[in-house]
Each structure stands twice: as structure tokens, then as C-alpha cells.
Amino acid sequence: MSKPTPISGFPEWLPAQRMIEQYVLDRIRNTFELYGFAPVETRAVEPLDQLLRKGETSKEVYVVRRLHAEEGDATDASLGLHFDMTVPFARYVLENAGKLQFPFRRYQIQKAWRGERPQEGRYREFLQADIDIVDRDTLAPHYEAELPLVVGDAFAALPIPPVRIQVNNRKICEGYYLGLGLTDPAAALRAVDKLDKIGPDKVVDLLVETAGASSAQAKACLALAEISTPDASFVDAVRALGVRHDLLDEGLAELAAVVETAASHTPGLCVADLRIARGLDYYTGTVYETQLRGYERFGSICSGGRYDNLVSAGATTFPGVGISIGVSRLLGLLFGANELSISRSVPTCVVVALADERHRPAANRIADALRRRGIPTEVSPTAAKYGKQIRYAERRGIPYVWFPGADGAADEVKDIRSGEQQSAVADGWVPPPADLKPTVT
């Protein structure tokens, strides 16, 4: 078989990287559960009409079909792989509304697929960790202030650079644009959302072209986007622009509560940044983007926002707020910069040595006794000379080699890093806590 060609955008981590990923997921999951979020998992596919009506471009959605589907059979062709967790979660809530208790707090850690151009930290198959809070008919705004706290605590539990969560409120932008006299605030939002990608001059042109703005109105939109403060002083800065609208007032109050709540929980966690818009059409209130300090050039690693109109059944609506951690994106950036390492490339803590193959059953019994007490253990693959068995452990970073006693002598365990060797019994010996599991730094 010829050497396979890698497929770009579909990461496959090495074992040490995969263990780091599991470590990260465990701590994220633990934080989510500390805040009372319950786990769910949804199917990988959704109807295409549902995927395409939420503001996502059709070019990024992968279609699912059988290789030998009969001609004219459109059953599979109407399905696509989900590109995020929000759309499938909305459908899940609608289907299970009679079985759920509201407000419903859920977390979801799954793969998603998006057919965009692969680049550093951006993939076509990627892992996300999402939380959402959904209620029936109304959702209190204090939940919008809670989500940054959860994310801040999740990141603080990881050995990664600090993060900064940029927050805005779509009501501020839409109310401001309406106060300026623009009749298509959604088009203005989409234009301003491209500010970092195309620059202010081209955004002005885009506002004039797509949102019907005059040159003066376009420049006023940019003036709003330039406001960024680490506290609630953004309210005065917006007021100073002289634009008035009830929706603007509502958004300012909601965003001030988010920033002040975050500041009391973790000073410096959030900053009000009024250029943050989020491109998806379903956001209606607070929106979030998260920068990893030192990696700002790569964009957001954690995003989301408030949505009021994504889920409805007749006259009943299910407004929600959610945020998504791009786990693959985060790890890809840190792996690429060699910022994460692990103390050993296997979970094993102890290798039980073999004097010869006749003693393998006895070695297996020792390994079983250690495993029963939660100590990851393997038996040496061969009964080579002890020096080779020790080197087998050294190459994998395994800290201990266990030598079964011969002719009634006591067993001994050796710390191969220090050379220290001591008598031990499999039913009682325990390694130092730092050696039990691989350590991520």
C-alpha cells in the first residue's frame, strides 16, 4: 500500500496530543457541570433547509448522500452535516419540549463540519464545547451575564494563556442604526462585522452599497464600532454620539450588566467592544467573542450570543443564550506553537518486569492488583534483559518499573528517574499523586 496522502482540515492528533485534548475536555466538562449544565448529544445530520436558513452560506455545508443512491432519490440529498451545535440544539429543544424542564441548561461536546479553507487553527472537522440556556417564551437577561463567568472559569482551569471576552449587544447596534435613520440594520451589522477583515474604508463602501447608508451615516456607524472599554463607561461614550432610540437604551442597560457582573467575578475578564457583531442572523442580544492573549491575530476561540427567534412552535417561543468553545481551534494553535506538553506519551504509571515468560501469569496478577486500585499498569511486552525493559519504560516516560520477587523475596519498585528502589506490595503501594496520571503543562 502506498503512503496515504493527508486530507487537509481533518486533524488527527498523536497520542500525547489526544491525551492533552482529553485533559482539556475533562476540565471544561467539570466546569460546565459545576454551573448545573446537563449533557446532551445530537445527531450529526440535519435537514438542509434547516441548516441553510440560519444565515450560513450554502458553500460551507457538507451534503450527505449514499454512494449508490438511486437516481431521483432525494432522501439523503436533503441532509447535511451540522456546521455548529446551535441549529441542531434548537431542533432538539423543539422535539423534546414536553420532556424538558425550563429553563433548560445543557452542554454539548461534539464534532462539527464546515467546508471552509483550512488554515492554522481552523479546520473542516472540529470539536466544539457548547453551553446554552433556553427558556419558554421569555429568558431573563441575567443569563447573558452568566455565560462569560462559566467560560472564564473553564479557561482558568486550563494551562493556557489568559483570555479576554469581548462583548457587545446587537440591540445597541440595531437601535443605533435605526436612530441614524437606516432602514436595514441587519445589512449594516453584516457590513460592520467585516471591519477586521476588510478595514474601515471598505466597510464604509459596503454600508453605502448594501445598507443604503449615506457617507455621514456610514462614518457614524464606524464611530460606534470604535468604542471599547473595560467597564460600563461605554454607555457615556455612546450617549456622546448623540443618537437616540429605545432599542439602543435597552441594549446599553443589558450590556452594562454583563460587563459589571464579569468585573465583580473576575476583573479584566470582559471588555465591551462595540465592533463585535457576529455574522449569523439569529443573534438578537448580547454577543461574545474571545481572544487568547498572544494569539489575537487568529481571531476568536470562543463565540456565541443571545437568540430570541431561533426556536418556536406556533405561538410558543424558546429564547436562549449560548456560547461555544472552539476546542480544536484552541488546541491547534497551542500545539502549533509548542505551548502544551504532557509528562508522558502513555497513561501507564508502572511497567511490571518479566524475568522470563514462565512468570507472565504472576506478573499479570501484580498488574491486576495495581489496576484495581486505579494505578495504570502494563506488563513488559517481552522478557528481555532488565536494562532493556527499563529503557522500554524510559522511552514512554513511564516513571516506575516493578520487579517481582524471586524465591519468596519481596517485590521491589524502582523510580527510574531517580534510581531509587524500594520494597513494595501490590495491594498497598501507591505512587505520588503527581505520577499517577500524565501531567499537562
Side-chain angles (χ1 to χ4, degrees), residues 210-379:
T210 64
S214 66
S215 178
Q217 288 172 324
K219 290 178 180 178
C221 291
L222 291 185
L224 179 72
E226 290 171 356
I227 296 173
S228 178
T229 68
D231 51 34
S233 62
F234 71 88
V235 176
D236 293 333
V238 174
R239 297 287 188 215
L241 298 178
V243 177
R244 298 289 182 266
H245 195 278
D246 289 345
L247 189 61
L248 173 61
D249 295 339
E250 189 177 333
L252 289 172
E254 291 177 0
L255 187 60
V258 171
V259 173
E260 290 170 347
T261 300
S264 65
H265 180 78
T266 306
L269 175 63
C270 284
V271 58
D273 191 333
L274 303 194
R275 75 167 54 201
I276 302 301
R278 305 294 301 139
L280 296 173
D281 291 343
Y282 50 66
Y283 293 123
T284 57
T286 303
V287 288
Y288 318 94
E289 290 193 355
T290 306
Q291 303 286 335
L292 186 66
R293 300 288 179 89
Y295 296 82
E296 290 86 353
R297 68 189 183 281
F298 294 106
S300 180
I301 58 164
C302 174
S303 308
R306 165 80 180 240
Y307 48 88
D308 286 326
N309 306 313
L310 188 63
V311 191
S312 62
T316 303
T317 61
F318 299 92
V321 60
I323 194 165
S324 172
I325 299 174
V327 178
S328 296
R329 180 169 177 75
L330 171 68
L331 291 177
L333 295 174
L334 295 177
F335 287 156
N338 295 317
E339 290 281 359
L340 287 174
S341 62
I342 194 164
S343 58
R344 56 185 186 258
S345 61
V346 293
T348 311
C349 177
V350 179
V351 170
V352 181
L354 279 176
D356 54 55
E357 284 297 330
R358 292 184 298 107
H359 289 86
R360 186 172 290 277
N364 286 338
R365 287 192 292 272
I366 293 170
D368 288 342
L370 292 170
R371 291 176 192 137
R372 280 194 295 269
R373 292 185 300 106
I375 302 172
T377 306
E378 60 180 279
V379 176

Side-chain angles (χ1 to χ4, degrees), residues 47-211:
L48 276 177
D49 60 345
Q50 294 297 309
L51 292 174
L52 299 180
R53 72 183 183 90
K54 303 302 181 183
E56 191 72 7
T57 63
S58 60
K59 293 180 181 179
E60 293 185 352
V61 176
Y62 282 107
V63 174
V64 176
R65 62 184 285 279
R66 289 178 295 134
L67 179 62
H68 297 293
E70 296 180 8
E71 186 175 351
D73 182 0
T75 304
D76 286 349
S78 63
L79 299 177
L81 293 172
H82 59 233
F83 56 80
D84 70 2
M85 301 300 153
T86 305
V87 173
F89 177 59
R91 187 265 312 158
Y92 178 91
V93 169
L94 207 57
E95 289 185 4
N96 295 282
K99 305 172 186 176
L100 303 176
Q101 297 295 318
F102 293 96
F104 178 48
R105 306 163 69 92
R106 85 83 170 83
Y107 74 85
Q108 191 168 347
I109 300 176
Q110 277 185 248
K111 292 282 184 73
W113 297 266
R114 190 172 295 198
E116 57 185 358
R117 182 173 65 87
Q119 51 191 298
E120 188 173 10
R122 190 175 293 277
Y123 306 105
R124 291 188 282 180
E125 179 183 69
F126 50 92
L127 187 64
Q128 290 187 186
D130 286 26
I131 49 172
D132 284 81
I133 303 173
V134 174
D135 210 341
R136 193 188 298 269
D137 295 325
T138 60
L139 180 74
H142 64 78
Y143 292 118
E144 296 170 59
E146 181 182 355
L147 291 198
L149 313 186
V150 184
V151 168
D153 285 358
F155 283 130
L158 301 174
I160 64 173
V163 300
R164 181 181 64 179
I165 303 175
Q166 300 162 295
V167 293
N168 192 8
N169 194 298
R170 292 282 280 263
K171 294 176 184 178
I172 293 175
C173 301
E174 293 184 21
Y176 183 84
Y177 301 152
L178 291 170
L180 284 175
L182 297 179
T183 57
D184 192 351
L189 270 170
R190 286 192 291 270
V192 172
D193 192 45
K194 294 180 171 61
L195 195 54
D196 289 336
K197 294 181 181 178
I198 64 177
D201 292 340
K202 291 185 178 179
V203 167
V204 167
D205 295 339
L206 198 59
L207 284 165
V208 172
E209 178 185 343
T210 64

